[in-house]
Amino acid sequence: MKVKHSLILENIRISLNSIRSHLLRTVITIMIIALGITALVGILTSIDSIKYFLNQNFSMMGANTLTIQNRGLRVHMGANSTRPKTYRPITYQEAMRFREEFDFPAHTSVFVYGTGIATLTFGSETTHPNVPVIGTDDEYIMTSGNEIISGRNFNVMEMSFGSNVAIIGSSIVSTLFKAGVDPLGQMIGIGPDKFMVIGVLKEKGSSIGISSDNHCIVPLDVVRRKFARPNMTYSINIMVPDAEMLPVAESEATGLFRIIRQVNAGDETNFDVSKSDNLAEMLFDNLKYLTMAATVIGLITLIGAAIGLMNIMLVSVTERTREIGIRKAIGATKRTIRNQFLAEAIVIAQLGGILGIILGILAGNGLGALIGSGFIIPWVWIIGGVVLCFIVALVSGILPATKAANLDPVESLRYE
């Protein structure tokens, strides 16, 4: 065992000496291998970063939340598009009846979008005309996964009378209130009307362009009165205490709302019930095509690297024919010569693999840093990269190693 261990170390030492002797072509081969591994590890690390980001950020409504709407989610990625079904609008009466009759142990809220292009003003300061105004009840803050960092929620009187009060996101606060002005109690303009700010939402950041930091929340009846339009559709959030209760809550909610919407037994449900992570799951499904593309690109590059490595090893065998003859003359067996050249191919491939893994991790996490994801160490792809490089070395090195092992020692000594 000790002799075998020392023989492996000797083969590695000879391999490193050979690499130093033919540095330029070896470096080129290492870079080709590194490019393939970088493409593979980099893209797959990026995908892991995106998945981590989606898992963290698509719980904006809360991980234990269901939403009832009159249309499903739509995802468009490349040539693939998921078209949602759209049903007739959910009326105010239907939404309120559901909230009153749904006796499952959960928080239930009704909300409606008044507009998505409101302009808010305070003194001479004005927001861009892209502020969504949402009419809600007092349960919406909790069921939407938001939190009031200062101020308070709507009270019963404000909800009953549809008072002109508002809860605003942190982005609106930074735009309208300069020099440390406390927004609470201030009057802001929403279109032609004045509203008193009673609360500020905790900053959550943006999730694929969706940011609650730019939302303005007002009582439900305010939107019904000031933003009324034909076919206005309402939505319902249902938040259960435990995620394990979601399937039961979904079944109960679907059954009750089918009754409210007068859907006959056997007929298709004419509304959509979605979980807070449905969009993330749809995106995950589309990401598999990107994973396949990354794998194909990486493998094609590695095939090119294998051909390059085989060529460099064949040239090495030709240039070292006399050296091989000398080694055989002093007692080296065919197996020893073959293992020496295989070890050289493995060392070159692993050097390229290590460089590619490092560059791939940096590239993948570079994208992760841009979208706000955490640092990912893709252990599966690291191990996969090492194994792939070992396979490439064996495939590329077996022919040159066999050729070197089968050289005639007499002819090799006479080779110039």
Side-chain angles (χ1 to χ4, degrees):
M1 182 66 71
K2 187 174 181 181
V3 173
K4 186 179 289 187
H5 181 70
S6 62
L7 188 60
I8 293 173
L9 292 177
E10 179 66 14
N11 282 336
I12 294 175
R13 186 186 65 78
I14 294 171
S15 302
L16 293 173
N17 287 335
S18 176
I19 289 171
R20 282 194 292 268
S21 301
H22 309 92
L23 193 59
L24 179 60
R25 70 187 181 197
T26 303
V27 168
I28 292 173
T29 307
I30 288 173
M31 292 304 296
I32 294 173
I33 295 172
L35 181 62
I37 297 298
T38 298
L40 193 61
V41 175
I43 297 176
L44 295 175
T45 302
S46 299
I47 292 171
D48 284 347
S49 295
I50 293 170
K51 287 182 177 179
Y52 176 84
F53 172 74
L54 291 175
N55 279 325
Q56 291 295 311
N57 290 279
F58 270 100
S59 58
M60 286 182 67
M61 296 185 301
N64 307 336
T65 305
L66 300 169
T67 301
I68 300 177
Q69 296 175 306
N70 75 317
R71 59 178 295 162
L73 297 170
R74 178 173 183 175
V75 177
H76 184 85
M77 181 178 286
N80 301 301
S81 178
T82 303
R83 289 188 174 274
K85 289 186 176 181
T86 301
Y87 307 98
R88 70 170 177 81
I90 296 173
T91 66
Y92 174 76
Q93 290 74 21
E94 289 173 338
M96 297 306 290
R97 180 182 167 188
F98 178 88
R99 192 182 70 171
E100 292 170 4
E101 297 183 9
F102 189 61
D103 58 359
F104 195 83
H107 294 278
T108 305
S109 67
V110 175
F111 65 98
V112 63
Y113 280 84
T115 179
I117 55 172
T119 300
L120 274 59
T121 59
F122 176 72
S124 60
E125 304 295 339
T126 304
T127 67
H128 294 296
N130 64 348
V131 178
V133 177
I134 308 172
T136 75
D137 56 22
D138 56 348
E139 293 273 16
Y140 175 79
I141 300 297
M142 177 183 296
T143 62
S144 63
N146 284 293
E147 181 182 342
I148 296 177
I149 194 171
S150 64
R152 60 175 177 83
N153 201 350
F154 304 126
N155 60 36
V156 175
M157 294 294 290
E158 291 163 345
M159 292 298 305
S160 299
F161 293 102
S163 304
N164 282 16
V165 291
I167 300 170
I168 58 177
S170 58
S171 177
I172 298 174
V173 172
S174 61
T175 301
L176 295 183
F177 300 97
K178 307 295 184 182
V181 175
D182 185 358
L184 297 180
Q186 303 292 347
M187 301 299 293
I188 61 173
I190 304 177
D193 300 300
K194 294 294 183 181
F195 286 74
M196 184 174 71
V197 177
I198 63 169
V200 175
L201 297 177
K202 184 178 180 180
E203 183 176 0
K204 294 183 67 174
S206 177
S207 183
I208 314 294
I210 304 171
S211 174
S212 60
D213 298 340
N214 196 44
H215 286 176
C216 176
I217 300 173
V218 299
L220 191 62
D221 282 345
V222 172
V223 168
R224 294 186 64 221
R225 187 174 68 247
K226 299 183 181 296
F227 296 92
R229 61 185 182 275
N231 298 322
M232 179 177 282
T233 183
Y234 293 76
S235 301
I236 304 165
N237 277 348
I238 303 164
M239 183 178 181
V240 296
D242 190 338
E244 294 182 356
M245 300 171 66
L246 274 179
V248 180
E250 182 177 4
S251 177
E252 292 280 341
T254 302
L256 174 60
F257 209 54
R258 281 177 62 91
I259 294 172
I260 293 173
R261 297 268 281 186
Q262 298 180 351
V263 179
N264 295 323
D267 289 350
E268 181 185 9
T269 299
N270 61 0
F271 54 91
D272 179 77
V273 182
S274 60
K275 299 176 185 177
S276 57
D277 60 352
N278 275 13
L279 182 54
E281 291 175 0
M282 291 180 184
L283 289 172
F284 288 163
D285 188 57
N286 282 276
L287 284 174
K288 68 183 179 184
Y289 300 107
L290 185 57
T291 303
M292 292 168 57
T295 304
V296 170
I297 292 170
L299 290 177
I300 290 173
T301 309
L302 286 175
I303 290 171
I307 295 171
L309 181 56
M310 184 182 295
N311 285 334
I312 194 176
M313 294 305 299
L314 287 171
V315 171
S316 181
V317 169
T318 302
E319 291 181 346
R320 296 161 61 187
T321 300
R322 189 175 179 83
E323 175 193 327
I324 294 167
I326 294 172
R327 289 182 181 276
K328 284 193 170 186
I330 61 176
T333 63
K334 284 186 176 183
R335 182 178 179 182
T336 303
I337 297 298
R338 185 180 68 247
N339 289 345
Q340 178 191 324
F341 279 87
L342 277 176
E344 186 172 325
I346 290 171
V347 168
I348 292 173
Q350 291 302 330
L351 287 174
I354 291 170
L355 179 60
I357 287 169
I358 293 172
L359 293 176
I361 292 174
L362 292 175
N365 282 290
L367 174 64
L370 289 176
I371 65 174
S373 179
F375 189 86
I376 302 292
I377 300 179
W379 293 110
V380 173
W381 308 124
I382 290 174
I383 295 170
V386 172
V387 172
L388 277 174
C389 287
F390 185 78
I391 294 172
V392 166
L394 289 180
V395 172
S396 305
I398 194 69
L399 179 61
T402 302
K403 179 182 177 181
N406 291 331
L407 287 176
D408 184 85
V410 176
E411 294 297 324
S412 297
L413 289 170
R414 294 169 57 188
Y415 183 81
E416 292 295 337

